[in-house]
Amino acid sequence: MKKEERSIAKIEDDVKSAGQSFIGLRMEDLLLRLPELEDKLTKNKLIEEYYENQVGTRDKAIGGTRTRVNSAIRIIKADRVLYALSLIDGSDSRVLPEAVFGAKRLINRIKTGEVKLPVLE
């Protein structure tokens, strides 16, 4: 995966576009499935899977889920996963508690090496 520079403001926009609940609930799965994100066909299947099994989101059309996934990918490519996860701190009452827990858990798993961030080129 190739690194793409993004400003903090853009990363914050990406978190808003994806939704804190989506990031908190799905980022670990996305990190574990990075090879699927690099191939257009498997990426589309992953988006369909997320759309059909929505957790913490209510997308009326698959395009909404596609936006969420693409925003998360931009965060990963910018090497700002930990920053994005740190924004999910429970201060927004609209964010699911399990998403806040998931974000904190993933931060810890990344820091202990249980989950690896991609090595970006």
Side-chain angles (χ1 to χ4, degrees):
M1 187 172 274
K2 188 173 171 86
K3 185 173 182 173
E4 296 178 8
E5 294 297 323
R6 285 184 81 69
S7 69
I8 291 297
K10 291 283 189 186
I11 296 299
E12 291 170 355
D13 287 344
D14 291 330
V15 171
K16 286 178 190 170
S17 292
Q20 288 188 23
S21 289
F22 181 85
I23 297 290
L25 294 170
R26 297 288 195 185
M27 184 59 83
E28 182 170 351
D29 188 55
L30 287 167
L31 289 171
L32 296 174
R33 298 171 79 173
L34 283 177
E36 293 177 54
L37 300 176
E38 302 219 43
D39 176 73
K40 191 173 185 175
L41 183 62
T42 55
K43 177 182 166 187
N44 285 334
K45 286 182 180 180
L46 177 66
I47 291 168
E48 287 176 25
E49 177 187 323
Y50 283 173
Y51 177 70
E52 292 169 2
N53 301 292
Q54 293 184 53
V55 179
T57 57
R58 289 193 176 91
D59 294 328
K60 294 178 183 173
I62 198 164
T65 305
R66 183 175 313 283
T67 297
R68 293 178 193 282
V69 170
N70 287 333
S71 295
I73 291 169
R74 286 192 296 271
I75 291 167
I76 294 167
K77 285 183 173 182
D79 199 22
R80 297 288 187 177
V81 172
L82 287 171
Y83 176 73
L85 291 170
S86 75
L87 298 175
I88 307 167
D89 59 5
S91 62
D92 186 337
S93 62
R94 298 171 295 176
V95 178
L96 295 172
E98 40 288 27
V100 175
F101 174 79
K104 290 178 181 177
R105 180 176 172 264
L106 181 53
I107 288 170
N108 288 333
R109 289 175 50 109
I110 290 168
K111 287 182 176 179
T112 62
E114 290 177 68
V115 174
K116 303 267 189 245
L117 293 175
V119 176
L120 302 171
E121 303 168 7

